[in-house]
Amino acid sequence: MTTKTPITVAYGDGIGPEIMSACLKIMLAAGAQLEIETIEVGEQVYLRGNTSGIEPSAWESLRRTRVFFKSPVTTPLGGKGLKSLNVTIRKALGLYANVRPCVSYSPAIETKHPLMNVVIVRENEEDLYAGIEHRQTNEVYQTLKLMTYPGSEKIIRYAFEYARINKRKKVTCFTKDNIMKMTDGMFHQIFDKVAAEYPSLETNHMIIDIGTARLADTPELFDVIVVPNLYGDIISDVAAQLTGSVGLAPSLNIGTDFAMFEAIHGSAPDIAGKGIANPSGLLRAGIGLLLHIGQTQVAEVIHNAWRRTIEEGIHTPDIYNTLRSTRKVGTEEFADAVIERLGQKPEKLPVISYAHQEEAITLPPVVVPKQTKQLVGVDVFVHWDDAGRDPNVLGRLLSERCNSDGLDLVMITNRGQKVYPDGFGETFCADHWRCRFLRGDGAPIEHGQIIALLGRFQAAGLDFIKTENLYTFDGKPGFSLGQGQ
Ligand code: NAD
């Protein structure tokens, strides 16, 4: 008898329980050998006062099984001190790669893009999802966008290895490095470096805005797309919807020791409890899970039965179309239709074969180039709402009271725009000012000079809200210039 593989299952919120029941019913009917440990995560856990949405006992199960099959959960909105469960799990378990295949099933499912077959490889742990946010002044709120060299290289290498193993032809990178030259610029540079190691793959980089526009217009031009976290979140919903419904695509969250399988969509509160949700995205995640634990035969049987079901026109309302569909079904009826077709193969859509077990993706350790770092200045951010917010008044005050020790004010920006010296009177100024101090001769400074500078800010009655040290790395500035500088 085949031994059962332990997995952790969470039924989630909204449509979660309906689609999870449907998927597990199909998987078990197909012969999946699973020892299921159920955990509770999401809304009810939050409501019991647990701000992370997950109980300690659930972590124990995840550490034991290392494989998580998860329904969507309702993420509470900001302002209540609650953290996103998805982000917590992805980061806690080191699930750095988020793979989201978005495939058209034409002619079975109505889509404007019948040739689309795009895999989005989304960085899963960094970027704006660090959740480090602060209100700094009366008017200004801040989120930190943190991207690391190792995190970026890992996801980019993963995308290239994924493309190589899955015999894909092209890898495209989307960033916004024309604006975010340090964070997205690093991601782009690493992409170019890694791309050079894969000469048989076609590669290109696009700015995220035009890239998304092209993806929406001509998705058949794309193959594998590798992106930082936030862009990946957005474009994968766009891409899944282009294939016919956001309810079709899976989200495979892969780490070195753990893996989590879910649908890309959320808990869809608008249709929860109605029994009409499409379980396909979660089912395709379940197929990914079965492949991950080596139950390839079962995965293949389910995938082909699912294809057969949709090509026969048995559709949930989100993909129902009077020209292509033959029967409008609810979640349970759809699951039963897939079960009835276990063992059958599609006739119009390509048959899936997992006969050749895929090579697992293993990545070499990232070697971060070591560079000489020197402290050369500081940006002091102040909350200042005096003198009609005239930047020249603040500039004169700082120059007179705070310049010292060769560390002088060189610029003030407001929302990143240079307003002193030589600003435009027309620039709108918030109550939040970034004041840059550098040594005129470009020589290194000491931390003590910054502390002394802050003492002068305090003596001048200025409310400094944070500082950002300015460093050079091998002589190159590790900081951006002000807009208009
Ligand atoms: P959503 O994906 O839940 O829903 C967007 C739209 O798509 C809705 O109209 C919904 O009815 C439809 N839809 C989604 N899945 C469907 C399916 N399987 N079948 C048919 N139609 C489907 O996005 P939202 O409304 O922005 O978010 C709802 C909640 O889900 C929020 O609390 C959000 O934070 C959370 N969320 C969770 C996850 C996750 O757990 N991984 C992911 C995204 C959003």
Side-chain angles (χ1 to χ4, degrees):
M1 206 183 90
T2 328
T3 45
K4 293 187 173 183
T5 306
I7 65 165
T8 303
V9 168
Y11 282 77
D13 301 316
I15 59 170
E18 303 160 43
I19 57 174
M20 182 54 84
S21 301
C23 291
L24 287 175
K25 190 173 172 191
I26 296 168
M27 289 159 74
L28 295 173
Q33 297 297 311
L34 303 172
E35 191 185 306
I36 295 170
E37 293 185 13
T38 304
I39 60 168
E40 193 192 356
V41 293
E43 215 168 18
Q44 291 311 312
V45 183
Y46 285 118
L47 291 177
R48 285 203 293 271
N50 188 324
T51 54
S52 64
I54 179 165
E55 306 278 12
S57 58
W59 286 118
E60 282 164 29
S61 171
L62 290 170
R63 275 197 208 99
R64 230 181 352 259
T65 67
R66 294 168 179 262
V67 182
F68 190 18
F69 193 26
K70 179 184 152 293
S71 256
V73 298
T74 300
T75 310
L77 293 177
K80 295 180 196 151
L82 306 179
K83 298 303 274 184
S84 157
L85 172 71
N86 295 317
V87 175
T88 302
I89 291 175
R90 287 170 188 161
K91 291 173 96 160
L93 302 184
L95 306 174
Y96 65 89
N98 190 332
V99 181
R100 298 181 158 196
C102 299
V103 184
S104 290
Y105 301 98
S106 185
I109 296 175
E110 172 72 12
T111 163
K112 295 185 189 82
H113 306 287
L115 300 177
M116 174 171 180
N117 185 343
V118 175
V119 178
I120 292 162
V121 178
R122 165 187 170 193
E123 196 288 313
N124 218 16
E125 298 179 280
E126 306 194 339
D127 194 1
L128 286 154
Y129 291 72
I132 306 175
E133 295 197 287
H134 296 95
R135 180 172 177 181
Q136 299 181 320
T137 68
N138 210 36
E139 295 178 356
V140 174
Y141 298 72
Q142 172 188 272
T143 300
L144 282 186
K145 171 166 162 129
L146 295 176
M147 287 169 61
T148 69
Y149 191 103
S152 303
E153 181 162 323
K154 241 161 63 175
I155 193 65
I156 290 165
R157 276 197 190 280
Y158 186 94
F160 276 94
E161 279 298 285
Y162 180 95
R164 180 183 68 76
I165 289 169
N166 291 284
K167 304 193 172 27
R168 295 275 174 161
K169 305 237 162 350
K170 181 174 172 185
V171 184
T172 302
C173 174
F174 287 172
T175 71
K176 187 80 184 168
D177 69 337
N178 53 333
I179 302 296
M180 284 161 277
K181 298 188 167 77
M182 313 270 350
T183 47
D184 286 24
M186 169 192 64
F187 198 88
H188 185 175
Q189 274 173 22
I190 297 174
F191 176 79
D192 288 345
K193 180 188 87 166
V194 176
E197 298 173 27
Y198 291 83
S200 59
L201 287 168
E202 190 188 333
T203 61
N204 67 337
H205 169 269
M206 294 171 97
I207 299 293
I208 180 75
D209 33 12
I210 187 61
T212 309
R214 293 261 163 79
L215 177 66
D217 184 54
T218 39
E220 56 281 1
L221 295 181
F222 296 93
D223 193 346
V224 174
I225 302 176
V226 62
V227 261
N229 204 343
L230 178 65
Y231 310 143
D233 196 357
I234 297 166
I235 66 165
S236 52
D237 264 32
V238 172
Q241 189 64 44
L242 288 176
T243 69
S245 167
V246 75
L248 289 170
S251 169
L252 319 173
N253 298 264
I254 310 294
T256 311
D257 301 314
F258 291 89
M260 174 170 82
F261 302 85
E262 56 182 347
I264 74 154
H265 59 75
S267 54
D270 53 338
I271 56 166
K274 296 186 179 159
I276 56 168
N278 190 343
S280 298
L282 191 62
L283 183 64
R284 292 200 48 220
I287 293 168
L289 180 152
L290 291 169
L291 291 171
H292 178 77
I293 61 174
Q295 299 188 19
T296 42
Q297 184 58 34
V298 189
E300 187 176 304
V301 165
I302 297 173
H303 200 157
N304 284 319
W306 174 75
R307 285 180 166 236
R308 178 67 182 247
T309 308
I310 57 166
E311 80 173 16
E312 283 186 26
I314 301 169
H315 292 164
T316 44
D318 58 314
I319 52 171
Y320 185 84
N321 170 292
T322 43
L323 293 178
R324 291 170 198 252
S325 309
T326 52
R327 230 166 92 199
K328 192 190 272 184
V329 291
T331 314
E332 267 186 58
E333 224 184 318
F334 182 83
D336 290 338
V338 176
I339 291 170
E340 276 163 30
R341 285 158 185 77
L342 290 169
Q344 295 182 32
K345 298 212 162 32
E347 286 172 353
K348 295 174 218 147
L349 293 170
V351 175
I352 294 296
S353 166
Y354 294 123
H356 302 288
Q357 175 86 45
E358 276 176 10
E359 188 187 330
I361 295 179
T362 45
L363 301 179
V366 177
V367 181
V368 184
K370 278 267 175 288
Q371 296 183 322
T372 305
K373 176 179 152 191
Q374 273 188 332
L375 183 62
V376 295
V378 64
D379 280 346
V380 183
F381 291 74
V382 293
H383 180 181
W384 185 71
D385 199 6
D386 295 337
R389 298 187 184 176
D390 179 348
N392 297 309
V393 174
L394 180 62
R396 279 195 298 273
L397 175 69
L398 290 170
S399 301
E400 283 162 18
R401 303 282 304 273
C402 299
N403 282 359
S404 178
D405 217 6
L407 193 56
D408 293 336
L409 178 74
V410 293
M411 160 184 93
I412 301 173
T413 67
N414 195 293
R415 297 183 303 155
Q417 175 67 35
K418 190 184 80 162
V419 291
Y420 177 87
D422 309 323
F424 288 100
E426 292 80 3
T427 304
F428 168 75
C429 290
D431 58 0
H432 179 273
W433 309 79
R434 188 258 304 255
C435 312
R436 174 160 291 178
F437 287 78
L438 285 166
R439 267 182 71 111
D441 57 7
I445 63 161
E446 305 279 337
H447 281 91
Q449 287 174 269
I450 295 177
I451 295 167
L453 176 68
L454 292 180
R456 295 193 289 274
F457 267 74
Q458 188 187 21
L462 289 165
D463 176 12
F464 56 88
I465 50 175
K466 78 161 192 169
T467 59
E468 206 57 76
N469 290 355
L470 305 177
Y471 295 103
T472 57
F473 291 83
D474 281 356
K476 289 202 195 106
F479 48 89
S480 58
L481 298 178
Q483 276 315 329
Q485 196 185 356

